[in-house]
């Protein structure tokens, strides 16, 4: 099981720095950190971590938020820029799309956008249903996370804008 597919949307809201690290070259470190909090050992399998994440207690979720903050500080101390790594990944995806003429990213982006705003519209008109409301809200959260990725892919991220502004001011490295 791919840990990002299983817990990515939830982790992206609770611990965005660790979620970003899971999708890049620091995945091993992020996996060990999550495993330690959720399972009490650094050697947990992705399946075990995903299962534990889906049934995490409030105390475990609070601990994950704290390690996310600590992880972010540690990455800054080591001068590891996770946003730069993520931006490079998006750039690579954009270049692939240009070179291959692949319409898949556009179709996915349109589907995610329509799904996200479609569910929001439906909820405004009909309200949250009595049955299945947890599933609906979980789907809305996943679509919100995916929509954020769509916006970052096509328009850049605020971190990228900040870096651009710093470079324009001459403060960039």
């Amino acid at each position: 099981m791919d840990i990002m597919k299983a817990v990515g949307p939830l982790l992206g809201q609770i611990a965005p720095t660790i979620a970003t690290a899971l999708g890049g070259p620091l995945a091993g470190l992020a996996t060990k950190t999550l495993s330690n909090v959720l399972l009490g050992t650094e050697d947990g399998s992705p399946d075990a971590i995903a299962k534990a994440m889906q049934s995490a207690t409030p105390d475990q979720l609070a601990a994950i938020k704290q390690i996310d903050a600590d992880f972010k500080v540690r990455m800054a101390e080591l001068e590891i820029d996770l946003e730069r790594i993520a931006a490079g990944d998006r750039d690579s995806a954009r270049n692939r799309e240009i070179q291959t003429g692949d319409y898949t990213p556009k179709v996915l982006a349109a589907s995610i956008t329509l799904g996200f705003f479609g569910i929001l519209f439906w909820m405004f008109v009909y309200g949250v249903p009595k049955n299945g409301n947890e599933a609906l809200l979980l789907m809305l959260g996943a679509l919100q996370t995916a929509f954020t990725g769509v916006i970052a892919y096509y328009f850049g991220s605020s971190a990228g804008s900040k870096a651009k502004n710093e470079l324009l001011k001459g403060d960039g490295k």
Side-chain angles (χ1 to χ4, degrees):
M1 172 187 292
D2 179 8
I3 192 168
M4 279 305 291
K5 286 182 184 175
V7 299
L10 175 61
L11 192 61
Q13 292 184 8
I14 295 170
T17 305
I18 291 175
T20 301
L22 277 174
L26 299 172
L29 178 61
T31 301
K32 284 182 180 182
T33 303
L34 277 176
S35 179
N36 197 30
V37 169
L38 294 168
L39 305 172
T41 177
E42 291 184 349
D43 300 328
S45 70
D47 288 340
I49 294 168
K51 197 176 276 187
M53 183 74 185
Q54 292 168 348
S55 61
T57 67
D59 288 340
Q60 287 174 317
L61 295 176
I64 291 171
K65 278 187 163 224
Q66 182 58 49
I67 62 167
D68 186 67
D70 296 344
F71 193 77
K72 190 174 190 174
V73 168
R74 184 71 177 134
M75 293 298 103
E77 288 171 358
L78 296 172
E79 296 182 5
I80 296 172
D81 186 354
L82 292 175
E83 181 52 40
R84 185 177 48 78
I85 293 169
D89 186 46
R90 286 189 299 271
D91 188 50
S92 173
R94 289 179 189 128
N95 288 334
R96 180 197 162 276
E97 182 182 354
I98 291 167
Q99 291 173 355
T100 63
D102 187 5
Y103 287 97
T104 304
K106 290 178 179 132
V107 170
L108 285 173
S111 299
I112 289 166
T113 302
L114 289 173
F116 178 62
F117 287 105
I119 288 176
L120 282 178
F121 178 77
W122 189 86
M123 287 175 64
F124 284 133
V125 172
Y126 299 105
V128 178
K130 291 180 183 177
N131 294 327
N133 62 348
E134 295 90 1
L136 180 68
L137 294 176
L138 181 66
M139 184 170 49
L140 181 62
L143 284 170
Q144 174 198 4
T145 302
F147 181 69
T148 301
V150 168
I151 296 301
Y153 179 83
Y154 283 102
F155 302 107
S157 68
S158 58
S161 297
K162 179 183 173 197
K164 176 195 70 175
N165 291 342
E166 286 176 1
L167 284 172
L168 290 174
K169 287 192 292 186
D171 295 339
K173 293 182 182 178

